[in-house]
Amino acid sequence: MHEWGRPVGDVNGVYADGNVPVPIVLVYTDEGITGVGLGPHAHLDTVFAAIEGEDPRGVTALYDRMLRQTFKAGHAGAVFGAIGALDTALWDIKAQAAGEPLWRLLGGRDRRVPAYASGLDFGLTDEELVSVYQDYARHGLRAAKLKGGLDIERDRHRLTLLREVLTEAAHGARPGLMLDVNEAWTRKQAVRHVGEIERDLDLVWVEEPVRRWDAEGLAVVGRGIRASVATGENLTGLEQYRPLLAAGAVDIVQMAAVWGITHFLRVSALAHAHDLPVSPIGTTPIALLHAAASVPNHLISELQDLRPPRGVSLDLTVEDGAFVLGNSAGLGVTVDEDSITSFARRTDGAMAAGSPNVRPEHAGRRLLAVADPGATARHRLTP
């Protein structure tokens, strides 16, 4: 369980109590090495059958074996997440067996991975928003991503507050601002909304302005605004990225931590072939941070909470605006199983209406701005 200690969410919904389930997979070997992966458990037995009894050091071949194992069921969505979790655990095992941190095994030279702040802040008041990003700023972060998408004036106001916090912390230097709307708009809504904000503010990128698969729509948005278009966190497999890259629909190529390391490396190579930067996202993205240290086109990585989930320890620090990876062999992730099992976890709300994981009925079909959407979310979801 990731315990944020405050409401977290986006335009689709908010976890009012700040408790977000984090699924963990542990893979054991006959050599006594345990690999850790984070991701869904969907069809886990079926997927694991592809790697059971195999040498984990052949991880890239085993990744393709897992894809073949789910050929008919479909290797997308939660099933792709299960593949990613096992893939991450295998990379962890391989690096531990080699006695090296994964970033070094993958060919990385610098353990510092540039970061931007992302507070999942849709349900926060102005005062809470300022306080949260002041904490990020104290760790040297000078770029940040805001959740929004329902009201132009609210987004403009909150982005202005964010700019003031980061500018003050940087003694006047201009910060990097991003806006993430999690597929809430139509094409025209996106161009109009961002265009109004860009009258007063400079945005580095707008994230998921329209549906993830809408290559033509993303390209239309990209041509209609000054900011870059970022997307990809919900895409699974190279086949879902190719149409977007072919259409010139994405400027910042993203991958979610939950989809695994091999996926990240392959998408990074595809993006690099198109001269595009990559930017991984996720609540606990340590696996992709190791991988990011090894690719030539990494731009910046998302830093959500400054604390790991309950029962999870990371050989990782945040200093001067960057993740700093440690020297522990493998991923540097330690799991305290007793701490996790003794905690009364709340898991029933992960897919409930009102959570960020369920698309609202009227998404993309709102004619008017939603008055004080943050307060509405808090009122609706607070027990």
Side-chain angles (χ1 to χ4, degrees):
M1 182 71 72
H2 205 126
E3 301 167 282
W4 289 74
R6 59 177 174 79
V8 292
D10 57 37
V11 67
N12 298 298
V14 173
Y15 290 108
D17 61 5
N19 293 333
V20 182
V22 179
I24 298 174
V25 174
L26 301 178
V27 177
Y28 302 96
T29 70
D30 56 8
E31 296 290 331
I33 299 175
T34 301
V36 180
L38 292 98
H41 296 179
H43 293 279
L44 192 62
D45 291 341
T46 300
V47 178
F48 184 74
I51 65 173
E52 188 172 12
E54 296 288 329
D55 187 333
R57 293 173 296 182
V59 57
T60 53
L62 293 178
Y63 180 82
D64 289 314
R65 188 178 176 90
M66 288 188 283
L67 292 179
R68 293 196 301 273
Q69 185 79 10
T70 56
F71 168 61
K72 290 292 185 180
H75 42 74
V79 175
F80 196 76
I83 292 172
L86 291 173
D87 174 72
T88 298
L90 293 178
W91 278 109
D92 188 19
I93 292 169
K94 181 170 183 171
Q96 288 185 62
E100 291 188 326
L102 183 57
W103 62 268
R104 179 69 77 189
L105 182 75
L106 290 171
R109 175 176 175 270
D110 189 352
R111 73 182 68 194
R112 294 178 58 83
V113 180
Y116 70 88
S118 177
L120 309 186
D121 46 62
F122 193 80
L124 301 184
T125 65
D126 288 353
E127 293 76 15
E128 291 168 336
L129 181 77
V130 168
S131 177
V132 164
Y133 282 95
Q134 284 174 336
D135 194 18
Y136 289 121
R138 281 190 285 271
H139 287 79
L141 279 83
R142 300 294 179 258
K145 184 172 74 183
L146 192 75
K147 295 289 188 179
L150 290 187
D151 182 88
I152 293 172
E153 295 307 322
R154 181 176 190 258
D155 288 349
R156 188 187 345 245
H157 171 67
R158 298 174 86 237
L159 283 163
T160 300
L161 290 176
L162 185 56
R163 181 180 63 181
E164 291 171 354
V165 168
L166 297 180
T167 300
E168 180 180 359
H171 306 291
R174 175 182 291 187
L177 301 177
M178 303 86 147
L179 179 65
D180 185 2
V181 301
N182 296 97
E183 305 182 53
W185 294 330
T186 64
R187 303 173 187 184
K188 288 289 189 179
Q189 284 175 333
V191 173
R192 176 174 176 271
H193 197 118
V194 177
E196 286 294 318
I197 289 174
E198 288 184 327
R199 292 176 183 269
D200 304 298
L201 295 159
D202 183 38
L203 297 178
V204 176
W205 76 59
V206 174
E207 190 167 321
E208 290 193 320
V210 296
R211 298 312 303 270
R212 66 195 71 168
W213 52 74
D214 186 4
E216 181 183 359
L218 288 163
V220 167
V221 174
R223 290 192 294 268
I225 64 177
R226 297 200 311 268
S228 294
V229 170
T231 192
E233 67 177 274
N234 290 305
L235 301 181
T236 56
L238 295 181
E239 66 276 9
Q240 294 191 8
Y241 284 85
R242 283 199 299 263
L244 274 64
L245 297 177
V250 56
D251 303 302
I252 312 293
V253 180
Q254 296 176 310
M255 310 80 131
V258 72
W259 305 136
I261 293 170
T262 300
H263 170 70
F264 172 86
L265 294 172
R266 292 181 177 182
V267 175
S268 294
L270 178 64
H272 190 45
H274 287 78
D275 292 320
L276 293 174
V278 296
S279 178
I281 75 146
T283 304
T284 308
I286 187 168
L288 297 197
L289 299 179
H290 282 268
S294 73
V295 300
N297 52 331
H298 173 260
L299 177 64
I300 197 166
S301 291
E302 182 180 48
L303 191 163
Q304 292 185 356
D305 201 355
L306 290 160
R307 303 163 301 169
R310 171 180 284 269
V312 176
S313 299
L314 308 177
D315 187 7
L316 171 75
T317 58
V318 179
E319 302 172 10
D320 298 326
F323 295 99
V324 182
L325 297 165
N327 276 320
S328 298
L331 292 175
V333 178
T334 303
V335 176
D336 183 347
E337 296 183 59
D338 292 336
S339 174
I340 293 173
T341 56
S342 65
F343 179 61
R345 301 186 304 274
R346 191 202 80 170
T347 60
D348 57 318
M351 300 304 293
S355 84
N357 297 317
V358 178
R359 184 171 170 84
E361 179 182 359
H362 298 293
R365 293 187 290 111
R366 298 181 180 93
L367 179 63
L368 302 175
V370 176
D372 199 1
T376 301
R378 288 193 302 277
H379 177 74
R380 181 177 65 248
L381 292 173
T382 301

